[in-house]
Amino acid sequence: MLREAMLTVASSDMVKSAVTSMPGSARVVRRFVAGETVAAAVATVRRLVERGLQVSVDYLGEDVHDPAQASAVRDAYLELLRQLHTAGVADHTEVSVKASALGTALPDGAAVALANARSVAAAAAQAGTTVTVDAEDHTHTDGTLALVQTLRAEFADVGAVVQAQLRRTEADCRALAVAGSRVRLCKGAYREPGNVAFTRRRDIDLSYVRCMKLLLRGSGYPMLATHDPRLIDIATALAHRYGRGPDSYEYQMLYGVRPDEQLRLVRAGHVVRVYVPFGDAWYGYLMRRMAEKPANLAVFVRSLLRRS
Ligand code: FDA
């Protein structure tokens, strides 16, 4: 119920302008978002890398409907990759992109997004790193996976993302669990209808475990994106059962969520990648995080009510 309400609130312009103008909002935003500029993102990456973490940086924004904006998103990634390289952290830092931010909704959108994604993937390769293409709601899944497949012909390490909440994802995992394929498995952040998605938490978790088994048993590189302690324990046990060394898969978590657990896993010898969002379009992202964890919402509301 709360998740539904928060996702509805996230799409309200009135609520957005009220929240962004409240005195305490910057403090809460900073917990989950690196900042609005490339420089702020790179500074956050440096701090995380110093602690032994890997990073994936996301320039916030999706559903672009203006060609100039899609080009601006591409250019932001090119600048980000240039600065990551200059800062000497590109070998620990990939970038995450959303196909819709690169132009899939524009006329001839698949071709526009592919051209933009290709530029970003080429810049990433030149900087010594790679790209993972985020999963968006189920109406985008076919297009996004096709984009990844096309990119992989040129840039073999471009990663795909699948969402355990979608009923199709087991089949997608079967297809993606092949040599050289990097696959991020997450539960899924979008509100989806029951005909395409599991809607009960327990069913989503069971699907996550089935997908995780397929990926860990397969010959690709699984990237297990979850903060769920039970799923992390199951992943560790399955990786052991299938004889996977610590360098043959990784855990992923969001910036600001369970930071102590991120470091605990690193100390235990695991590869952990932190997903770091930056940019001025932080509002929808922040609302999705609030929807996932009522405790985050409480912190948020308290900060807003406190005078800065
Ligand atoms: P869930 O939200 O069900 O939480 C399970 C448990 O984790 C909780 O009961 C609690 O124990 C613990 N937990 C969760 N949040 C916590 C907090 N703030 N503090 C303490 N404990 C907490 N989605 C998408 O649709 N497309 C995408 O491309 C991506 N990409 C992505 C990358 C990465 C690196 C991550 C980690 C996540 C994504 N997601 C995503 C988001 C993902 O789909 C999902 O919405 C969130 O990760 C929340 O799901 P959890 O697996 O953490 O479980």
Side-chain angles (χ1 to χ4, degrees):
M1 271 298 282
L2 178 67
R3 182 165 187 253
E4 297 286 299
M6 289 303 297
L7 292 173
T8 306
V9 162
S11 58
S12 156
D13 284 345
M14 210 172 72
V15 175
K16 178 180 178 182
S17 75
V19 166
T20 46
S21 61
M22 287 180 92
S25 67
R27 232 188 342 259
V28 186
V29 177
R30 269 200 304 275
R31 180 180 154 191
F32 296 103
V33 177
E36 297 202 345
T37 62
V38 168
V42 173
T44 301
V45 170
R46 275 178 186 275
R47 278 197 301 278
L48 295 168
V49 168
E50 273 165 21
R51 290 175 200 159
L53 293 154
Q54 311 300 305
V55 184
S56 186
V57 186
D58 168 48
Y59 178 58
L60 288 165
E62 53 200 280
D63 272 340
V64 161
H65 291 277
D66 168 7
Q69 209 186 336
S71 303
V73 169
R74 177 202 60 206
D75 293 346
Y77 276 105
L78 299 186
E79 179 58 17
L80 170 67
L81 285 158
R82 200 185 61 73
Q83 291 199 29
L84 288 169
H85 181 64
T86 305
V89 289
D91 51 343
H92 296 281
T93 314
E94 55 148 57
V95 296
S96 286
V97 301
K98 285 189 175 53
S100 73
L102 295 175
T104 47
L106 297 169
D108 203 13
V112 174
L114 176 60
N116 285 331
R118 193 177 265 140
S119 301
V120 176
Q126 205 178 1
T129 185
T130 189
V131 176
T132 294
V133 184
D134 283 347
E136 300 179 68
D137 75 55
H138 78 276
T139 61
H140 293 86
T141 309
D142 281 332
T144 302
L145 292 180
L147 173 70
V148 172
Q149 198 181 1
T150 307
L151 284 174
R152 286 200 61 210
E154 247 175 289
F155 307 98
D157 52 2
V158 167
V161 181
V162 290
Q163 299 157 309
Q165 70 171 350
L166 296 184
R167 294 177 189 275
R168 60 176 283 165
T169 296
E170 249 183 282
D172 288 334
C173 286
R174 233 173 243 116
L176 287 164
V178 295
S181 160
R182 294 168 61 256
V183 186
R184 179 195 301 156
L185 174 65
C186 63
K187 287 191 187 179
Y190 297 85
R191 181 172 33 180
E192 299 283 13
N195 59 329
V196 298
F198 302 107
T199 53
R200 293 190 319 171
R201 275 183 173 275
R202 184 182 148 73
D203 293 334
I204 297 170
D205 290 356
L206 288 173
S207 168
Y208 197 105
V209 174
R210 289 194 299 274
C211 292
M212 192 155 63
K213 279 185 177 165
L214 286 166
L215 295 176
L216 286 166
R217 242 191 345 235
S219 44
Y221 182 79
M223 305 186 281
L224 305 170
T226 182
H227 314 97
D228 193 324
R230 244 164 29 112
L231 291 179
I232 292 169
D233 285 350
I234 294 171
T236 307
L238 285 174
H240 188 253
R241 184 195 295 173
Y242 298 136
R244 283 209 171 243
D247 289 339
S248 68
Y249 67 102
E250 68 185 41
Y251 292 108
Q252 297 192 343
M253 293 191 199
L254 302 176
Y255 181 60
V257 179
R258 303 199 73 204
D260 294 345
E261 175 65 2
Q262 294 170 13
L263 294 176
R264 186 194 69 79
L265 286 167
V266 168
R267 284 194 299 271
H270 296 289
V271 178
V272 180
R273 189 175 302 277
V274 181
Y275 184 99
V276 172
F278 82 103
D280 52 15
W282 49 263
Y283 178 75
Y285 175 86
L286 190 70
M287 288 301 129
R288 284 204 285 275
R289 302 293 76 83
M290 299 297 124
E292 280 157 11
K293 185 84 182 163
N296 289 341
L297 179 62
V299 173
F300 188 48
V301 172
R302 271 202 303 276
S303 302
L304 291 180
L305 296 176
R306 217 183 298 145
R307 296 260 148 222
S308 29

